[in-house]
Amino acid sequence: MSDSAVFVPHFHWDREWYEPFQVFRHRLVAALDTVLETAETDPDFRFTVDGQLAAIEDYLEMRPENRDRVVALVREGRLAIGPWLILLDEFLCSGETIVRNLQMGWAAAEGLGGAMPVGYLPDMFGHIAQMPQILARAGIEHAALWRGVPGSVDGHAFNWRAPDGSQVRTEFLFDGYDNGLDVLLIPEQIGRALNDYAEMTAERWGGDPVLAMAGTDHNAPDPQLASWLRRASGEGRPITVATLDEYVRKHVRDEVSAAVTGELRSHVRGNILPGVLSVRLGLKQRMALAERTIDHAERMNALWSRRDDSPFLRLAWHKIIESTAHDSVVGSGTDETCDQVAARLAEAAQTARAVRDAALAEPAALVPSDGHLVANPLPFDRTALVEVDVVAPPEGTALLATAADGSTAPVQLISQAPTVLADERMDASQLERVLRRIHRRELFGRLIDHYELTAGELVFHLAEVPTSGPFDLLILRREVAEAAAAHPGEWRVLTQEEARATALVPVDVPASGLASFRVEPSETTASTASVPATATDRTLTNGLVEVTVAADGTLDITGQDGTVLYGVGRLVDGGDRGDSYNYAPPAQDVLVSEPTEITVEVLETGPLRSRLSVTRVYEWPAALSADRDVRGDQVVPTPVETLVEVRVGEPFVRVSTSFLNRSADHRLRFTVPLPEPVTTSASAGQFAVTERGLTAEGGWGEYPLPTFPAGSFVSAGVATVLLDHSSEYELVGDGTELAITLLRAIGSISVNIHPLRDEPAASEIPVPGAQDLGMRIENRFAVVPSASGWRGAHAVALAEEFRGDVLVTRGTGPALGQLPPDTTGLRVDGKDVLVSAVRRVGGEDAQVTGTEVRLTAMRDTASTVRVTGTFTEATTVDLLGRPLSRTPVTDVLELGLGPWEIHTVVLR
């Protein structure tokens, strides 16, 4: 049995949760004031700041005068800060966001005296498979965590291995991050209580000291803690006060024999609260949008802009990372907290969008104003469909898109806009007021091409690109004043623009590259390069995939290899009497899966895109009964529109659902029936594809529902579903059906009595906003049938293509000029390779300057990757940007990647 103990004073600081950020910060400042005063008064005192640097940043923003005090304690080793910027939810953000979190936290901590080299993850709701590799490739050898560890670990530590074989020694906080508090309840009895605890847990410690985590949520330790422990140490077993870093580096002696590979999502020693994956859908969607926007902004800024917008990008990243906190993006906070998270994510996306658009404006200046520029954020060639606003062709005339090399492609007209924007009657004395609408040449968002002024009538002709030469507003004002004086009485003012249309255009865009085109009328038509997308009354096809609407409104989808999925899109709605942390069915549930009404409408017939709409009306109960055990008798007719789409050349069917939610306390799932039962599923996210079974390991106080997270896709048997945002899924019906959660509407942060969880997860605080009542609920995904599963379907690349739309902007150069040649940026060739970052690195603090590229081998076998661009040197760096090796190259770099390896290289 262990003969000593190490106490680690700390707190766990949820930055925002049942109170919004600024309320918690007020408490934080008071708590850290106490910590600093205690440490400076008692040299034996040590403190670990929760592993997240944000707490220090938030403190110093209010107490800038205390920076030197913080730095002094950090340098003395008595205040442990970092390595993370924020304690995140690992499953609800991208792997790249996790890396940036670590980078920003480490850098900020180094600026304050040094980062704690321990991957401290105390309260996350489970842990991703690749976390050991992320830590190891940042030079971090130790981790410490609580939730998710499987029952096979019977000690206080284990070797945690990533799919690539990387591992970190991991301290298992098997009794939580507050296990020392029970020992401290009666200061005069600490020695006795510690002996009792050590005896109860003796089999865990072996010959190592007992680790007593002396802290909890939102409270500083008592200033007398160190003196209490000195007295207790003199009365019994030796006690040391240490930081967490000191414990794992100085006090642990036993060799670790237990090993765990992959993700940690067991319920056996702590609740992992899986319901957070699906509550507050809007936050998950905003996170995905912000991450996608900043990724594209970084790529465009690195490849196509002379301007370094790193300060704006750092700001956007900081706001995204703040929002990944394990009580933020998960949606387990109050309504005002979640509103603040949503606003922060929106601000991050807006900041990144500004950088992205500014970067594209530079090459757009080389494209004539009657043309369009298309940028491909992905590092492989692709043919993309883009929607643009064009001049409508005369009746009987076709439109063609002309590329820079003179090749042409067919254009599909989608809609046509009205040409009369305003038709008004007014007295001549009011004409001057009309002219106030004109700003230099702009009117109603268009430009004045020319005008006609006759007795009693003023006609404006607007165009997107004027062709009539200069326009002088001062001359117009003089002419109108003279005409009004000469012709008093009623006037007609007509504002019309050239006939406009929305056109769908196919564009071949090089890898990470730029292409341009213009759309023009033509007497001839061009044929599609491949089998066109077509539509009949209930069927869409493009030669690669076919989808037919069945009689019940579900979809029968046939894949490229002949694999058929029947009944895709069956919607199943049931009650939910749970909370933001855990789903729970009411005692008397009512499942609604059959619509009362079905209509099908063909929207587009091709040849580039075909679409149809399926509207199904469901009778969903309005809410649960007052005792929350029964779904109520009152029902709300709810139309759910499903938009089904196939595009030329794509081997998948795009599907989106939309409805106005008027029901409370319910869970809605989109199901994909499988031709044969399966025993495993696989989902992609955070640099890995993780396989899971039909069950989850239980043993604590939480029923182990086998609901799991998916990032970019989820696959089961012959069905793969590409996802727009992090989602929750489950294999149901003994593996016969894949169910994806579209909405989980609940009304409390936590409920005191939960049928699937023994203890409350928080206070029972009402959160009516989490019901999403009156909100339009939209989800989009794509379905890929393939007998060879996600690998044979090339789901890694398809998911990137589905999520990573090309970027389109209007040219701003002189009209009717020559289109610039297509330009390739950075090409990456390799099977199942994910490129998670392409960005500019440099500046005063950078150890390497150039274009950083992060690649991950998303497969379980070794592979070769070829990177092509314009560079003469390649420097391999670790995940903190520190150089490992340099190689002289000329425009082509070949890399050998091991299975599931994350590799970062800087090219210059």
Side-chain angles (χ1 to χ4, degrees):
M1 183 173 73
S2 173
D3 60 357
S4 61
V6 176
F7 277 73
V8 174
H10 76 103
F11 56 43
H12 173 54
W13 206 273
D14 301 291
R15 196 165 184 261
E16 53 198 358
W17 182 19
Y18 58 82
E19 293 283 10
F21 162 57
Q22 296 295 358
V23 174
F24 271 151
R25 172 151 72 173
H26 192 270
R27 299 181 191 176
L28 171 70
V29 170
L32 281 176
D33 280 345
T34 299
V35 167
L36 296 187
E37 291 165 7
T38 303
E40 291 167 344
T41 302
D42 190 335
D44 289 338
F45 185 75
R46 303 285 192 275
F47 192 77
T48 299
V49 190
D50 204 25
Q52 54 180 340
L53 206 279
I56 297 296
E57 286 187 345
D58 295 340
Y59 175 75
L60 291 180
E61 190 175 2
M62 297 292 106
R63 294 276 195 268
E65 68 276 11
N66 288 345
R67 179 184 176 87
D68 289 345
R69 297 172 66 193
V70 170
V71 170
L73 290 170
V74 172
R75 288 177 175 169
E76 291 171 13
R78 298 203 292 131
L79 187 67
I81 62 174
W84 302 99
L85 178 60
I86 204 81
L87 290 182
L88 72 161
D89 185 282
E90 299 169 31
F91 293 97
L92 291 175
C93 63
S94 70
E96 187 61 33
T97 298
I98 296 174
V99 171
R100 303 303 180 90
N101 187 343
L102 185 57
Q103 289 176 345
M104 294 184 78
W106 188 276
E110 287 292 291
L112 292 169
M116 177 176 70
V118 178
Y120 186 42
L121 306 162
D123 199 28
M124 284 72 161
F125 308 149
H127 304 278
I128 62 168
Q130 287 281 39
M131 184 58 77
Q133 184 178 181
I134 291 172
L135 295 175
R137 288 183 181 269
I140 297 174
E141 299 176 348
H142 296 271
L145 50 82
W146 166 32
R147 304 182 195 266
V149 178
S152 59
V153 176
D154 55 10
H156 72 98
F158 61 98
N159 287 320
W160 185 16
R161 294 174 184 153
D164 77 313
S166 301
Q167 72 176 30
V168 290
R169 182 199 176 278
T170 302
E171 188 67 27
F172 177 26
L173 309 177
F174 58 89
D175 269 346
Y177 54 78
D178 59 355
N179 69 315
L181 290 189
D182 288 346
V183 175
L184 301 172
L185 281 175
I186 305 175
E188 296 76 13
Q189 297 291 323
I190 289 175
R192 180 213 35 93
L194 179 58
N195 285 334
D196 291 345
Y197 181 74
E199 290 177 4
M200 287 187 294
T201 58
E203 72 283 357
R204 288 276 181 183
W205 302 109
D208 285 336
V210 171
L211 171 61
M213 298 295 289
T216 188
D217 297 359
H218 310 129
N219 283 285
D222 193 292
Q224 300 181 69
L225 174 63
S227 62
W228 294 344
L229 295 177
R230 279 194 294 269
R231 184 175 66 238
S233 182
E235 298 171 352
R237 70 180 64 229
I239 294 174
T240 302
V241 177
T243 64
L244 183 62
D245 177 37
E246 289 175 323
Y247 174 77
V248 299
R249 286 191 298 107
K250 297 180 179 180
H251 296 280
V252 172
R253 300 184 295 270
D254 281 0
E255 291 293 322
V256 176
S257 58
V260 179
T261 299
E263 73 176 3
L264 306 178
R265 288 193 64 82
S266 171
H267 306 253
V268 74
R269 289 295 304 183
N271 298 335
I272 65 168
L273 311 171
V276 299
L277 298 172
S278 51
V279 74
R280 301 221 191 232
L281 166 71
L283 292 183
K284 281 64 172 176
Q285 292 174 326
R286 284 182 180 272
M287 176 61 70
L289 176 62
E291 289 178 322
R292 189 156 54 238
T293 306
I294 197 169
D295 176 35
H296 292 177
E298 285 191 328
R299 297 183 191 220
M300 296 304 108
N301 182 258
L303 296 174
W304 306 115
S305 177
R306 294 183 298 272
R307 172 175 170 168
D308 182 1
D309 267 331
S310 297
F312 290 94
L313 293 169
R314 280 195 297 271
L315 173 64
W317 269 120
H318 200 288
K319 290 184 178 296
I320 289 172
I321 293 165
E322 290 176 69
S323 303
T324 65
H326 65 290
D327 285 305
S328 297
V329 69
V330 299
S332 60
T334 60
D335 287 349
E336 58 181 342
T337 295
C338 292
D339 288 345
Q340 187 174 23
V341 176
R344 188 185 303 128
L345 286 169
E347 190 175 354
Q350 292 155 9
T351 305
R353 175 161 56 89
V355 173
R356 181 200 68 193
D357 293 350
L360 286 178
E362 295 180 43
L366 304 177
V367 176
S369 58
D370 59 331
H372 288 84
L373 176 74
V374 180
N376 178 12
L378 302 180
F380 50 80
D381 299 343
R382 63 195 292 199
T383 299
L385 297 184
V386 301
E387 290 187 14
V388 293
D389 181 66
V390 299
V391 177
E395 189 173 349
T397 303
L399 288 178
L400 288 182
T402 304
D405 62 3
S407 61
T408 60
V411 169
Q412 178 179 329
L413 283 180
I414 297 173
S415 63
Q416 194 154 333
T419 59
V420 176
L421 302 183
D423 190 351
E424 304 167 275
R425 305 279 178 172
M426 65 186 65
D427 188 79
S429 62
Q430 302 298 308
L431 289 177
E432 174 61 27
R433 298 178 62 185
V434 171
L435 302 185
R436 294 175 195 163
R437 303 169 181 168
I438 303 171
H439 301 89
R440 289 167 291 281
R441 193 167 190 166
E442 179 270 329
L443 177 60
F444 296 161
R446 299 293 185 190
L447 299 177
I448 297 174
D449 183 77
H450 63 281
Y451 59 90
E452 300 171 24
L453 183 61
T454 59
E457 187 173 73
L458 172 60
V459 181
F460 291 106
H461 296 272
L462 310 184
E464 190 167 24
V465 180
T467 59
S468 62
F471 169 80
D472 193 322
L473 181 57
L474 294 178
I475 293 177
L476 173 62
R477 284 178 175 170
R478 188 187 70 226
E479 292 178 348
V480 168
E482 292 173 352
H487 303 282
E490 185 179 77
W491 275 66
R492 182 190 189 194
V493 179
L494 180 65
T495 306
Q496 60 185 20
E497 66 170 335
E498 57 193 350
R500 309 297 300 181
T502 301
L504 192 64
V505 182
V507 185
D508 296 326
V509 199
S512 303
L514 304 175
S516 59
F517 68 92
R518 59 163 51 97
V519 176
E520 302 169 303
S522 174
E523 297 298 330
T524 61
T525 58
S527 60
T528 54
S530 54
V531 178
T534 61
T536 60
D537 288 348
R538 301 180 80 92
T539 298
L540 308 177
T541 184
N542 64 0
L544 299 177
V545 66
E546 179 177 290
V547 55
T548 299
V549 181
D552 62 356
T554 62
L555 309 175
D556 298 337
I557 302 176
T558 303
Q560 191 171 0
D561 62 1
T563 299
V564 184
L565 298 173
Y566 294 100
V568 173
R570 187 174 73 98
L571 300 180
V572 180
D573 185 76
D576 190 342
R577 63 144 300 167
D579 52 30
S580 59
Y581 294 103
N582 296 81
Y583 159 80
Q588 298 180 43
D589 201 2
V590 174
L591 297 180
V592 179
S593 60
E594 299 300 322
T596 59
E597 182 182 340
I598 301 167
T599 58
V600 181
E601 179 185 4
V602 175
L603 303 178
E604 297 175 15
T605 58
L608 301 175
R609 182 176 72 187
S610 55
R611 281 177 162 181
L612 55 79
S613 173
V614 181
T615 302
R616 291 172 286 178
V617 180
Y618 294 89
E619 300 280 347
W620 291 341
L624 294 180
S625 59
D627 61 6
R628 301 183 57 77
D629 279 334
V630 181
R631 289 198 88 181
D633 294 331
Q634 180 185 352
V635 296
V636 180
T638 305
V640 180
E641 180 182 349
T642 302
L643 180 66
V644 188
E645 174 183 321
V646 299
R647 298 183 180 183
V648 64
E650 287 187 344
F652 50 80
V653 176
R654 295 174 181 257
V655 180
S656 61
T657 60
S658 175
F659 64 93
L660 184 67
N661 182 47
R662 298 167 59 205
S663 297
D665 311 314
H666 69 127
R667 180 180 69 173
L668 177 67
R669 303 210 279 188
F670 179 100
T671 67
V672 181
L674 305 173
E676 299 290 338
V678 299
T679 57
T680 61
S681 62
S683 75
Q686 299 83 31
F687 304 128
V689 180
T690 303
E691 290 197 357
R692 306 181 179 98
L694 297 176
T695 60
E697 183 183 35
W700 188 247
E702 180 179 61
Y703 186 83
L705 282 176
T707 52
F708 298 112
S712 58
F713 69 79
V714 57
S715 185
V718 301
T720 297
V721 180
L722 313 179
L723 301 168
D724 173 70
H725 58 271
S726 295
S727 302
E728 173 192 86
Y729 79 91
E730 182 181 1
L731 283 176
V732 297
D734 296 324
T736 61
E737 199 167 29
L738 173 65
I740 299 171
T741 305
L742 302 185
L743 173 69
R744 201 166 72 81
I746 51 86
S748 293
I749 287 182
S750 176
V751 293
N752 293 334
I753 305 298
H754 194 294
L756 302 184
R757 189 186 65 232
D758 288 350
E759 60 176 328
S763 299
E764 193 169 277
I765 299 173
V767 284
Q771 297 282 15
D772 280 331
L773 288 169
M775 301 295 292
R776 181 151 292 279
I777 307 301
E778 298 178 336
N779 287 271
R780 75 180 190 103
F781 26 82
V783 182
V784 190
S786 174
S788 51
W790 67 267
R791 294 178 179 87
H794 307 296
V796 172
L798 291 183
E800 287 297 285
E801 190 169 352
F802 173 66
R803 278 189 165 193
D805 290 336
V806 295
L807 309 171
V808 186
T809 187
R810 189 73 184 236
T812 58
L816 306 177
Q818 186 174 355
L819 294 171
D822 293 355
T823 308
T824 301
L826 192 76
R827 183 186 306 278
V828 177
D829 296 305
K831 187 176 181 182
D832 296 332
V833 174
L834 172 70
V835 177
S836 64
V838 177
R839 63 161 176 159
R840 185 198 310 260
V841 292
E844 295 180 0
D845 299 329
Q847 301 179 58
V848 186
T849 299
T851 301
E852 183 182 81
V853 183
R854 191 156 15 259
L855 315 98
T856 303
M858 300 284 282
R859 57 188 303 181
D860 51 12
T861 56
S863 59
T864 299
V865 180
R866 184 182 177 94
V867 183
T868 307
T870 303
F871 46 85
T872 58
E873 183 180 81
T875 303
T876 296
V877 299
D878 71 5
L879 284 183
L880 296 180
R882 298 173 296 208
L884 302 175
S885 64
R886 284 187 172 88
T887 306
V889 292
T890 304
D891 300 339
V892 178
L893 173 66
E894 285 199 356
L895 296 171
L897 298 184
W900 308 108
E901 179 184 347
I902 305 168
H903 188 96
T904 308
V905 62
V906 177
L907 307 172
R908 58 173 297 176

